[in-house]
Amino acid sequence: MEMTGAEITIRCLQEEGVEYLFGYPGGAVLHIYDALFQQNKVKHVLVRHEQAAVHAADGYARSSDKVGVALVTSGPGLTNAVTGIATAYLDSIPMVVISGQVPTFAIGEDAFQEVDAVGITRPCVKHNFLVKDVKDIASTIKKAFYLAKSGRPGPVLVDIPKDVSAHRTEFVYPASVNIRSYHPQGRGDSNQIRHAAQLLLEAKRPMVYAGGGVVLSDSSAELTDLVRLLGFPCTNTLMGLGSYPANDKQYVGMLGMHGTYEANMAMQHCDVLVAIGARFDDRVIGNVEHFAQVLRKIIHIDIDPSSIAKRVKVDVPIVGDLKLVLGELLDVLRSSRQKPAATDMAAWWTQIDEWRVTGGGMRYKNSSEIIKPQFVIETLHKLTGGDAFVTSDVGQHQMWAAQYYKFNHPRRWINSGGLGTMGFGLPAAMGVQLKHPGETVACVTGEGSIQMNIQELSTCKQYHLPIKVLSLNNGYLGMVRQWQEFFHGNRFSESYMDALPDFVKVAEAYGHIGLRIDKPSDVEPAMKEAFSRKNDLVFMDFRTDPTENVFPMVPGGKGLSEVVLSEDL
Amino acid sequence: MRHIISLLMENEAGALSRVAGLFSARGYNIESLTVAPTEDASLSRMTIVTSGSDAVIEQITKQLNKLIDVVSVMDLSEGEHIERELMLVKVRAEGDARDEVKRLTDIFRGRILDVSEHTYTIELTGSCVKLDSFIDAIGRELILETVRTGASGIGRGNRILSL
Ligand SMILES: Cc1ncc(C[n+]2csc(CCOP(=O)(O)OP(=O)(O)O)c2C)c(N)n1
Ligand SMILES: [Mg+2]
């Protein structure tokens, strides 16, 4: 049967099993919206800003194992989406973004709402396409989903000119995809895996460092088995939180700039390091030269060869799907019937336990006068039993959420780690809530970040999304203020925002419930009240200590063992 | 170190900009870049001359391989290879210099393609080093204009870059 390009586009989404399409209409996508109107399989979620459409699709993908999908119009629709696309790109989130384009005959003429979408997004997508012929729509969308999901996942953009979406052709959805230039690695090299197993068994001071790749490849079970089998300590990156259960005794906490003392010290002083789906980011290992001062063998397992040996030298590189590689590594270890030497392990754990004492765990001085932000997160953890989906924005509140909410399951911690996008939290929470109706979704945000996409409270109303917003309102762009205090002589240049709105009234204006919480003793009752309202979005405006700083901290450019534990900076 | 990297890529709109964009975004050097379709019209072959430490070159190769349009990549300088570049150069050829330029062109196995009262236009093919030496030999004061294609390269013997 002949169909229009627009109808084909929607049919493709149906074929891919797309539940939700997050989008915003405009001239170049009118045909596609028309086709959308005439079906009811794919549900469209109308956001209030295209950036939010992409973040919502992103949150949907992060909290599930599906591809997030967004639809935007040409020109400003596409440019608004770019921040969202870059956010997904830096965290390797599977996503397909469909954008409208001016008609093919107008391309290059500076037509109304024309931008070079493929050119603008090129550096922040896994791949992108401009579809110039209606006959290519189906195969292109098929490829887009395949590319987004396979190998190292990432966002893929499909740009469809308006005339192409109006033209007609026969609809055939390809059964399979073959891209001759693209062959993501499945299994890892068996020799390398055996070599890795040997190193692990001989290690005296081993360390497992697991990142977002474990979450993305759904390999938490394999990771957990490996760590327990070997009796090794395990740390997670900001992106990997939940991939290893935080309540396990072998877990040493998050590492990096605001990680635990023991995680950073063990990372620095280990003799065999196995990096799994992590990329030695500058926020994780700090100063590369300092890190390299200690000699250690590094085993690096990742789906993307270009992540290996990018910032540090690696002794045993293993490229492959983490699930398969870890599975094979476990088999090799189990059939060897060997274990690392018990005396070495005991000595190493004694050392780690000493670091645990020195570091003192995640600690802060609570107050009965003023709300400490850490206390809010601890209460959130207590009341939700550590089982909520927690999205966050970017800043101090993000770090406190990562430090004080103990994630025991993957895909529960949803944050923009790579790009650090303020404005991510609320729209991402919308995607999460749609994917998980009935579950608790908490958005931990700051008074700065929330205002970058606060208009989405309106979307939440329209789709009845009972998200719990916890705004840690310190009256400052707190993370900026912290750096200015530490490194810029207390010159708080433009980090204080005057004339903040009354957030309770804002929430109410959008038809939600707003609570303002000023006293520590009101934190728990307010949260209980909020969580008891299963069907309502509740915006909690916690007035927190404006001078609180995030610790521990490895200052930028410093080494992991040069961590500052508290205010004595 | 100088490296000469060859790659095959889908002959599609925008493929070149993906490679060029990769080099600029990640701060890699490009000394020269040449590209043209191959005998298989669906494929383009590109030769990139770049330089960097071993670690940088390893990243460049990996990042190129990661581009979806790139079919295969080979670092020609890792083994035996042939490298050629074409240069057209217009020189001032007056008085005594006319004979001297002609003589040098013969020595370098170049050809004079165009002659005018005051100029010669010379074609010369060879390695980049040879072209550089020709320019030095002629002397910069005589050179009016040069145009170079950038290096193209191919492996020797059984070193073949194909699908
Ligand atoms: C879009 C964007 N702009 C600027 C920044 C830089 N930045 C990082 S944290 C931060 C402050 C965030 O303030 P707030 O949301 O109030 O969180 P707080 O640190 O106070 O908890 C800023 C401006 C950013 N990460 N993202
Ligand atoms: Mg703030």
PDB file of all heavy atoms in Angstrom, chain A residues 426 445-447 450-451 454 457 467-473 502-504 506-508 512-517 530 536-542:
ATOM      1  N   LEU A 426      13.910  17.655  35.793  1.00  0.00           N
ATOM      2  CA  LEU A 426      12.449  17.549  35.738  1.00  0.00           C
ATOM      3  C   LEU A 426      11.961  16.853  34.460  1.00  0.00           C
ATOM      4  O   LEU A 426      11.188  15.899  34.534  1.00  0.00           O
ATOM      5  CB  LEU A 426      11.807  18.932  35.913  1.00  0.00           C
ATOM      6  CG  LEU A 426      10.279  18.951  35.874  1.00  0.00           C
ATOM      7  CD1 LEU A 426       9.684  18.080  36.980  1.00  0.00           C
ATOM      8  CD2 LEU A 426       9.734  20.387  35.988  1.00  0.00           C
ATOM      9  N   THR A 445      16.646  18.703  42.848  1.00  0.00           N
ATOM     10  CA  THR A 445      17.067  19.828  42.016  1.00  0.00           C
ATOM     11  C   THR A 445      17.511  20.997  42.889  1.00  0.00           C
ATOM     12  O   THR A 445      17.525  20.900  44.123  1.00  0.00           O
ATOM     13  CB  THR A 445      15.926  20.225  41.060  1.00  0.00           C
ATOM     14  OG1 THR A 445      16.356  21.281  40.213  1.00  0.00           O
ATOM     15  CG2 THR A 445      14.679  20.665  41.812  1.00  0.00           C
ATOM     16  N   GLY A 446      17.927  22.065  42.236  1.00  0.00           N
ATOM     17  CA  GLY A 446      18.294  23.289  42.945  1.00  0.00           C
ATOM     18  C   GLY A 446      17.447  24.425  42.400  1.00  0.00           C
ATOM     19  O   GLY A 446      16.868  24.305  41.315  1.00  0.00           O
ATOM     20  N   GLU A 447      17.405  25.507  43.144  1.00  0.00           N
ATOM     21  CA  GLU A 447      16.553  26.623  42.685  1.00  0.00           C
ATOM     22  C   GLU A 447      17.091  27.223  41.389  1.00  0.00           C
ATOM     23  O   GLU A 447      16.344  27.859  40.655  1.00  0.00           O
ATOM     24  CB  GLU A 447      16.397  27.665  43.789  1.00  0.00           C
ATOM     25  CG  GLU A 447      17.534  28.680  43.924  1.00  0.00           C
ATOM     26  CD  GLU A 447      18.862  28.039  44.289  1.00  0.00           C
ATOM     27  OE1 GLU A 447      18.857  26.969  44.921  1.00  0.00           O
ATOM     28  OE2 GLU A 447      19.915  28.599  43.927  1.00  0.00           O
ATOM     29  N   ILE A 450      16.220  24.181  38.437  1.00  0.00           N
ATOM     30  CA  ILE A 450      14.806  23.918  38.153  1.00  0.00           C
ATOM     31  C   ILE A 450      14.242  24.988  37.221  1.00  0.00           C
ATOM     32  O   ILE A 450      13.363  24.719  36.401  1.00  0.00           O
ATOM     33  CB  ILE A 450      13.960  23.806  39.454  1.00  0.00           C
ATOM     34  CG1 ILE A 450      12.552  23.258  39.161  1.00  0.00           C
ATOM     35  CG2 ILE A 450      13.844  25.150  40.169  1.00  0.00           C
ATOM     36  CD1 ILE A 450      12.508  21.828  38.701  1.00  0.00           C
ATOM     37  N   GLN A 451      14.815  26.204  37.345  1.00  0.00           N
ATOM     38  CA  GLN A 451      14.272  27.281  36.510  1.00  0.00           C
ATOM     39  C   GLN A 451      14.707  27.165  35.057  1.00  0.00           C
ATOM     40  O   GLN A 451      14.254  27.923  34.210  1.00  0.00           O
ATOM     41  CB  GLN A 451      14.684  28.637  37.082  1.00  0.00           C
ATOM     42  CG  GLN A 451      14.002  28.917  38.408  1.00  0.00           C
ATOM     43  CD  GLN A 451      14.272  30.320  38.901  1.00  0.00           C
ATOM     44  OE1 GLN A 451      13.577  31.252  38.528  1.00  0.00           O
ATOM     45  NE2 GLN A 451      15.309  30.455  39.712  1.00  0.00           N
ATOM     46  N   ILE A 454      11.490  24.845  34.119  1.00  0.00           N
ATOM     47  CA  ILE A 454      10.373  24.825  35.062  1.00  0.00           C
ATOM     48  C   ILE A 454       9.023  24.787  34.355  1.00  0.00           C
ATOM     49  O   ILE A 454       8.018  24.323  34.900  1.00  0.00           O
ATOM     50  CB  ILE A 454      10.461  26.025  36.035  1.00  0.00           C
ATOM     51  CG1 ILE A 454       9.637  25.732  37.289  1.00  0.00           C
ATOM     52  CG2 ILE A 454      10.055  27.332  35.361  1.00  0.00           C
ATOM     53  CD1 ILE A 454      10.018  26.586  38.478  1.00  0.00           C
ATOM     54  N   LEU A 457       6.449  21.857  34.381  1.00  0.00           N
ATOM     55  CA  LEU A 457       5.400  21.580  35.376  1.00  0.00           C
ATOM     56  C   LEU A 457       4.047  21.520  34.675  1.00  0.00           C
ATOM     57  O   LEU A 457       3.140  20.811  35.102  1.00  0.00           O
ATOM     58  CB  LEU A 457       5.398  22.675  36.457  1.00  0.00           C
ATOM     59  CG  LEU A 457       6.563  22.613  37.458  1.00  0.00           C
ATOM     60  CD1 LEU A 457       6.558  23.836  38.353  1.00  0.00           C
ATOM     61  CD2 LEU A 457       6.504  21.322  38.279  1.00  0.00           C
ATOM     62  N   ILE A 467       5.242  13.373  39.981  1.00  0.00           N
ATOM     63  CA  ILE A 467       6.669  13.454  40.360  1.00  0.00           C
ATOM     64  C   ILE A 467       6.805  14.220  41.676  1.00  0.00           C
ATOM     65  O   ILE A 467       6.041  15.140  41.951  1.00  0.00           O
ATOM     66  CB  ILE A 467       7.435  14.180  39.235  1.00  0.00           C
ATOM     67  CG1 ILE A 467       7.384  13.336  37.954  1.00  0.00           C
ATOM     68  CG2 ILE A 467       8.873  14.497  39.637  1.00  0.00           C
ATOM     69  CD1 ILE A 467       7.706  14.114  36.696  1.00  0.00           C
ATOM     70  N   LYS A 468       7.774  13.801  42.488  1.00  0.00           N
ATOM     71  CA  LYS A 468       8.043  14.542  43.714  1.00  0.00           C
ATOM     72  C   LYS A 468       9.299  15.372  43.486  1.00  0.00           C
ATOM     73  O   LYS A 468      10.394  14.812  43.320  1.00  0.00           O
ATOM     74  CB  LYS A 468       8.243  13.581  44.892  1.00  0.00           C
ATOM     75  CG  LYS A 468       7.053  12.633  45.119  1.00  0.00           C
ATOM     76  CD  LYS A 468       5.752  13.373  45.434  1.00  0.00           C
ATOM     77  CE  LYS A 468       4.556  12.444  45.588  1.00  0.00           C
ATOM     78  NZ  LYS A 468       3.843  12.156  44.323  1.00  0.00           N
ATOM     79  N   VAL A 469       9.135  16.676  43.438  1.00  0.00           N
ATOM     80  CA  VAL A 469      10.275  17.561  43.205  1.00  0.00           C
ATOM     81  C   VAL A 469      10.847  17.998  44.551  1.00  0.00           C
ATOM     82  O   VAL A 469      10.116  18.534  45.384  1.00  0.00           O
ATOM     83  CB  VAL A 469       9.852  18.800  42.386  1.00  0.00           C
ATOM     84  CG1 VAL A 469      11.054  19.720  42.154  1.00  0.00           C
ATOM     85  CG2 VAL A 469       9.231  18.376  41.061  1.00  0.00           C
ATOM     86  N   LEU A 470      12.128  17.716  44.770  1.00  0.00           N
ATOM     87  CA  LEU A 470      12.787  18.160  45.996  1.00  0.00           C
ATOM     88  C   LEU A 470      13.812  19.213  45.618  1.00  0.00           C
ATOM     89  O   LEU A 470      14.886  18.882  45.101  1.00  0.00           O
ATOM     90  CB  LEU A 470      13.492  16.987  46.703  1.00  0.00           C
ATOM     91  CG  LEU A 470      12.597  15.918  47.326  1.00  0.00           C
ATOM     92  CD1 LEU A 470      12.229  14.861  46.291  1.00  0.00           C
ATOM     93  CD2 LEU A 470      13.305  15.251  48.496  1.00  0.00           C
ATOM     94  N   SER A 471      13.456  20.452  45.818  1.00  0.00           N
ATOM     95  CA  SER A 471      14.369  21.516  45.464  1.00  0.00           C
ATOM     96  C   SER A 471      15.185  21.898  46.696  1.00  0.00           C
ATOM     97  O   SER A 471      14.635  22.300  47.715  1.00  0.00           O
ATOM     98  CB  SER A 471      13.590  22.722  44.938  1.00  0.00           C
ATOM     99  OG  SER A 471      14.493  23.754  44.639  1.00  0.00           O
ATOM    100  N   LEU A 472      16.499  21.713  46.612  1.00  0.00           N
ATOM    101  CA  LEU A 472      17.380  22.107  47.716  1.00  0.00           C
ATOM    102  C   LEU A 472      17.741  23.565  47.465  1.00  0.00           C
ATOM    103  O   LEU A 472      18.712  23.867  46.771  1.00  0.00           O
ATOM    104  CB  LEU A 472      18.624  21.211  47.767  1.00  0.00           C
ATOM    105  CG  LEU A 472      18.353  19.704  47.830  1.00  0.00           C
ATOM    106  CD1 LEU A 472      19.665  18.939  48.005  1.00  0.00           C
ATOM    107  CD2 LEU A 472      17.392  19.362  48.975  1.00  0.00           C
ATOM    108  N   ASN A 473      16.886  24.423  47.980  1.00  0.00           N
ATOM    109  CA  ASN A 473      16.984  25.846  47.670  1.00  0.00           C
ATOM    110  C   ASN A 473      17.960  26.524  48.628  1.00  0.00           C
ATOM    111  O   ASN A 473      17.615  26.855  49.749  1.00  0.00           O
ATOM    112  CB  ASN A 473      15.579  26.449  47.776  1.00  0.00           C
ATOM    113  CG  ASN A 473      15.560  27.913  47.398  1.00  0.00           C
ATOM    114  OD1 ASN A 473      16.603  28.548  47.269  1.00  0.00           O
ATOM    115  ND2 ASN A 473      14.364  28.453  47.227  1.00  0.00           N
ATOM    116  N   ASP A 502       8.376  32.744  44.307  1.00  0.00           N
ATOM    117  CA  ASP A 502       7.777  31.950  45.376  1.00  0.00           C
ATOM    118  C   ASP A 502       7.408  30.607  44.735  1.00  0.00           C
ATOM    119  O   ASP A 502       6.436  30.503  43.984  1.00  0.00           O
ATOM    120  CB  ASP A 502       6.538  32.681  45.895  1.00  0.00           C
ATOM    121  CG  ASP A 502       5.820  31.886  46.976  1.00  0.00           C
ATOM    122  OD1 ASP A 502       5.962  30.635  46.992  1.00  0.00           O
ATOM    123  OD2 ASP A 502       5.115  32.507  47.787  1.00  0.00           O
ATOM    124  N   PHE A 503       8.251  29.594  44.998  1.00  0.00           N
ATOM    125  CA  PHE A 503       8.073  28.321  44.286  1.00  0.00           C
ATOM    126  C   PHE A 503       6.766  27.625  44.643  1.00  0.00           C
ATOM    127  O   PHE A 503       6.222  26.864  43.830  1.00  0.00           O
ATOM    128  CB  PHE A 503       9.273  27.398  44.547  1.00  0.00           C
ATOM    129  CG  PHE A 503      10.520  27.820  43.827  1.00  0.00           C
ATOM    130  CD1 PHE A 503      11.547  28.471  44.492  1.00  0.00           C
ATOM    131  CD2 PHE A 503      10.662  27.585  42.459  1.00  0.00           C
ATOM    132  CE1 PHE A 503      12.702  28.878  43.823  1.00  0.00           C
ATOM    133  CE2 PHE A 503      11.810  27.982  41.781  1.00  0.00           C
ATOM    134  CZ  PHE A 503      12.833  28.634  42.467  1.00  0.00           C
ATOM    135  N   VAL A 504       6.261  27.880  45.844  1.00  0.00           N
ATOM    136  CA  VAL A 504       4.977  27.275  46.220  1.00  0.00           C
ATOM    137  C   VAL A 504       3.877  27.816  45.305  1.00  0.00           C
ATOM    138  O   VAL A 504       3.066  27.072  44.755  1.00  0.00           O
ATOM    139  CB  VAL A 504       4.667  27.553  47.706  1.00  0.00           C
ATOM    140  CG1 VAL A 504       3.237  27.138  48.039  1.00  0.00           C
ATOM    141  CG2 VAL A 504       5.669  26.818  48.591  1.00  0.00           C
ATOM    142  N   VAL A 506       4.370  29.147  42.392  1.00  0.00           N
ATOM    143  CA  VAL A 506       4.631  28.680  41.023  1.00  0.00           C
ATOM    144  C   VAL A 506       3.998  27.295  40.839  1.00  0.00           C
ATOM    145  O   VAL A 506       3.271  27.048  39.870  1.00  0.00           O
ATOM    146  CB  VAL A 506       6.146  28.614  40.720  1.00  0.00           C
ATOM    147  CG1 VAL A 506       6.397  27.908  39.391  1.00  0.00           C
ATOM    148  CG2 VAL A 506       6.748  30.009  40.698  1.00  0.00           C
ATOM    149  N   ALA A 507       4.264  26.404  41.794  1.00  0.00           N
ATOM    150  CA  ALA A 507       3.715  25.049  41.701  1.00  0.00           C
ATOM    151  C   ALA A 507       2.189  25.119  41.642  1.00  0.00           C
ATOM    152  O   ALA A 507       1.559  24.449  40.820  1.00  0.00           O
ATOM    153  CB  ALA A 507       4.170  24.215  42.899  1.00  0.00           C
ATOM    154  N   GLU A 508       1.630  25.951  42.492  1.00  0.00           N
ATOM    155  CA  GLU A 508       0.170  26.070  42.525  1.00  0.00           C
ATOM    156  C   GLU A 508      -0.374  26.648  41.222  1.00  0.00           C
ATOM    157  O   GLU A 508      -1.419  26.224  40.734  1.00  0.00           O
ATOM    158  CB  GLU A 508      -0.249  26.921  43.728  1.00  0.00           C
ATOM    159  CG  GLU A 508      -0.092  26.150  45.044  1.00  0.00           C
ATOM    160  CD  GLU A 508      -0.247  27.017  46.279  1.00  0.00           C
ATOM    161  OE1 GLU A 508      -0.477  28.250  46.139  1.00  0.00           O
ATOM    162  OE2 GLU A 508      -0.118  26.462  47.397  1.00  0.00           O
ATOM    163  N   HIS A 512      -0.338  22.305  40.755  1.00  0.00           N
ATOM    164  CA  HIS A 512       0.249  21.293  41.627  1.00  0.00           C
ATOM    165  C   HIS A 512       0.220  21.748  43.078  1.00  0.00           C
ATOM    166  O   HIS A 512      -0.229  22.852  43.390  1.00  0.00           O
ATOM    167  CB  HIS A 512       1.702  21.020  41.222  1.00  0.00           C
ATOM    168  CG  HIS A 512       1.863  20.596  39.802  1.00  0.00           C
ATOM    169  ND1 HIS A 512       1.296  19.453  39.297  1.00  0.00           N
ATOM    170  CD2 HIS A 512       2.538  21.173  38.770  1.00  0.00           C
ATOM    171  CE1 HIS A 512       1.632  19.336  38.020  1.00  0.00           C
ATOM    172  NE2 HIS A 512       2.372  20.363  37.676  1.00  0.00           N
ATOM    173  N   ILE A 513       0.798  20.894  43.931  1.00  0.00           N
ATOM    174  CA  ILE A 513       0.904  21.243  45.339  1.00  0.00           C
ATOM    175  C   ILE A 513       2.317  21.722  45.620  1.00  0.00           C
ATOM    176  O   ILE A 513       3.288  21.106  45.171  1.00  0.00           O
ATOM    177  CB  ILE A 513       0.600  20.000  46.203  1.00  0.00           C
ATOM    178  CG1 ILE A 513      -0.849  19.579  45.980  1.00  0.00           C
ATOM    179  CG2 ILE A 513       0.872  20.282  47.684  1.00  0.00           C
ATOM    180  CD1 ILE A 513      -1.148  18.180  46.442  1.00  0.00           C
ATOM    181  N   GLY A 514       2.421  22.811  46.351  1.00  0.00           N
ATOM    182  CA  GLY A 514       3.741  23.321  46.718  1.00  0.00           C
ATOM    183  C   GLY A 514       3.879  23.348  48.228  1.00  0.00           C
ATOM    184  O   GLY A 514       2.931  23.671  48.941  1.00  0.00           O
ATOM    185  N   LEU A 515       5.050  22.946  48.724  1.00  0.00           N
ATOM    186  CA  LEU A 515       5.309  22.994  50.162  1.00  0.00           C
ATOM    187  C   LEU A 515       6.615  23.733  50.382  1.00  0.00           C
ATOM    188  O   LEU A 515       7.603  23.451  49.701  1.00  0.00           O
ATOM    189  CB  LEU A 515       5.445  21.574  50.748  1.00  0.00           C
ATOM    190  CG  LEU A 515       4.296  20.594  50.572  1.00  0.00           C
ATOM    191  CD1 LEU A 515       4.724  19.216  51.061  1.00  0.00           C
ATOM    192  CD2 LEU A 515       3.060  21.077  51.326  1.00  0.00           C
ATOM    193  N   ARG A 516       6.594  24.653  51.332  1.00  0.00           N
ATOM    194  CA  ARG A 516       7.856  25.306  51.675  1.00  0.00           C
ATOM    195  C   ARG A 516       8.303  24.778  53.028  1.00  0.00           C
ATOM    196  O   ARG A 516       7.524  24.732  53.976  1.00  0.00           O
ATOM    197  CB  ARG A 516       7.645  26.812  51.734  1.00  0.00           C
ATOM    198  CG  ARG A 516       8.875  27.510  52.255  1.00  0.00           C
ATOM    199  CD  ARG A 516       8.730  28.999  52.243  1.00  0.00           C
ATOM    200  NE  ARG A 516       9.785  29.565  53.083  1.00  0.00           N
ATOM    201  CZ  ARG A 516      10.269  30.777  52.940  1.00  0.00           C
ATOM    202  NH1 ARG A 516       9.780  31.567  52.008  1.00  0.00           N
ATOM    203  NH2 ARG A 516      11.222  31.214  53.741  1.00  0.00           N
ATOM    204  N   ILE A 517       9.538  24.330  53.118  1.00  0.00           N
ATOM    205  CA  ILE A 517      10.020  23.721  54.349  1.00  0.00           C
ATOM    206  C   ILE A 517      11.243  24.502  54.830  1.00  0.00           C
ATOM    207  O   ILE A 517      12.248  24.575  54.136  1.00  0.00           O
ATOM    208  CB  ILE A 517      10.379  22.227  54.130  1.00  0.00           C
ATOM    209  CG1 ILE A 517       9.170  21.479  53.567  1.00  0.00           C
ATOM    210  CG2 ILE A 517      10.834  21.582  55.435  1.00  0.00           C
ATOM    211  CD1 ILE A 517       9.258  21.143  52.119  1.00  0.00           C
ATOM    212  N   ALA A 530       4.106  14.564  51.246  1.00  0.00           N
ATOM    213  CA  ALA A 530       4.250  14.581  49.788  1.00  0.00           C
ATOM    214  C   ALA A 530       4.119  13.173  49.212  1.00  0.00           C
ATOM    215  O   ALA A 530       3.387  12.957  48.229  1.00  0.00           O
ATOM    216  CB  ALA A 530       5.600  15.185  49.417  1.00  0.00           C
ATOM    217  N   ASP A 536      -0.423  13.156  43.009  1.00  0.00           N
ATOM    218  CA  ASP A 536      -0.133  14.567  42.795  1.00  0.00           C
ATOM    219  C   ASP A 536       1.355  14.819  42.638  1.00  0.00           C
ATOM    220  O   ASP A 536       2.177  14.168  43.273  1.00  0.00           O
ATOM    221  CB  ASP A 536      -0.613  15.385  44.004  1.00  0.00           C
ATOM    222  CG  ASP A 536      -2.113  15.298  44.165  1.00  0.00           C
ATOM    223  OD1 ASP A 536      -2.819  15.538  43.170  1.00  0.00           O
ATOM    224  OD2 ASP A 536      -2.566  14.944  45.278  1.00  0.00           O
ATOM    225  N   LEU A 537       1.643  15.792  41.828  1.00  0.00           N
ATOM    226  CA  LEU A 537       3.004  16.304  41.822  1.00  0.00           C
ATOM    227  C   LEU A 537       3.118  17.238  43.022  1.00  0.00           C
ATOM    228  O   LEU A 537       2.284  18.131  43.202  1.00  0.00           O
ATOM    229  CB  LEU A 537       3.284  17.060  40.524  1.00  0.00           C
ATOM    230  CG  LEU A 537       4.728  17.578  40.353  1.00  0.00           C
ATOM    231  CD1 LEU A 537       5.094  17.625  38.867  1.00  0.00           C
ATOM    232  CD2 LEU A 537       4.971  18.932  40.996  1.00  0.00           C
ATOM    233  N   VAL A 538       4.132  17.010  43.838  1.00  0.00           N
ATOM    234  CA  VAL A 538       4.359  17.901  44.968  1.00  0.00           C
ATOM    235  C   VAL A 538       5.739  18.530  44.813  1.00  0.00           C
ATOM    236  O   VAL A 538       6.732  17.827  44.609  1.00  0.00           O
ATOM    237  CB  VAL A 538       4.267  17.150  46.312  1.00  0.00           C
ATOM    238  CG1 VAL A 538       4.425  18.143  47.468  1.00  0.00           C
ATOM    239  CG2 VAL A 538       2.950  16.398  46.427  1.00  0.00           C
ATOM    240  N   PHE A 539       5.745  19.842  44.875  1.00  0.00           N
ATOM    241  CA  PHE A 539       6.996  20.592  44.756  1.00  0.00           C
ATOM    242  C   PHE A 539       7.427  20.994  46.157  1.00  0.00           C
ATOM    243  O   PHE A 539       6.745  21.765  46.819  1.00  0.00           O
ATOM    244  CB  PHE A 539       6.773  21.837  43.883  1.00  0.00           C
ATOM    245  CG  PHE A 539       8.040  22.545  43.511  1.00  0.00           C
ATOM    246  CD1 PHE A 539       8.458  22.579  42.176  1.00  0.00           C
ATOM    247  CD2 PHE A 539       8.826  23.191  44.468  1.00  0.00           C
ATOM    248  CE1 PHE A 539       9.640  23.239  41.820  1.00  0.00           C
ATOM    249  CE2 PHE A 539       9.994  23.841  44.115  1.00  0.00           C
ATOM    250  CZ  PHE A 539      10.397  23.863  42.797  1.00  0.00           C
ATOM    251  N   MET A 540       8.547  20.419  46.624  1.00  0.00           N
ATOM    252  CA  MET A 540       9.033  20.738  47.963  1.00  0.00           C
ATOM    253  C   MET A 540      10.186  21.726  47.868  1.00  0.00           C
ATOM    254  O   MET A 540      11.225  21.420  47.290  1.00  0.00           O
ATOM    255  CB  MET A 540       9.500  19.452  48.662  1.00  0.00           C
ATOM    256  CG  MET A 540       8.351  18.564  49.092  1.00  0.00           C
ATOM    257  SD  MET A 540       8.930  16.873  49.429  1.00  0.00           S
ATOM    258  CE  MET A 540       8.644  16.081  47.848  1.00  0.00           C
ATOM    259  N   ASP A 541       9.964  22.889  48.435  1.00  0.00           N
ATOM    260  CA  ASP A 541      10.967  23.952  48.406  1.00  0.00           C
ATOM    261  C   ASP A 541      11.685  23.962  49.750  1.00  0.00           C
ATOM    262  O   ASP A 541      11.242  24.605  50.698  1.00  0.00           O
ATOM    263  CB  ASP A 541      10.242  25.283  48.133  1.00  0.00           C
ATOM    264  CG  ASP A 541      11.191  26.464  48.054  1.00  0.00           C
ATOM    265  OD1 ASP A 541      12.396  26.259  47.781  1.00  0.00           O
ATOM    266  OD2 ASP A 541      10.732  27.597  48.284  1.00  0.00           O
ATOM    267  N   PHE A 542      12.775  23.193  49.844  1.00  0.00           N
ATOM    268  CA  PHE A 542      13.529  23.119  51.096  1.00  0.00           C
ATOM    269  C   PHE A 542      14.492  24.293  51.174  1.00  0.00           C
ATOM    270  O   PHE A 542      15.363  24.433  50.306  1.00  0.00           O
ATOM    271  CB  PHE A 542      14.345  21.817  51.163  1.00  0.00           C
ATOM    272  CG  PHE A 542      13.514  20.574  51.249  1.00  0.00           C
ATOM    273  CD1 PHE A 542      13.263  19.802  50.109  1.00  0.00           C
ATOM    274  CD2 PHE A 542      12.966  20.154  52.465  1.00  0.00           C
ATOM    275  CE1 PHE A 542      12.497  18.646  50.185  1.00  0.00           C
ATOM    276  CE2 PHE A 542      12.200  18.997  52.543  1.00  0.00           C
ATOM    277  CZ  PHE A 542      11.962  18.241  51.398  1.00  0.00           C
TER     278      PHE A 542
END
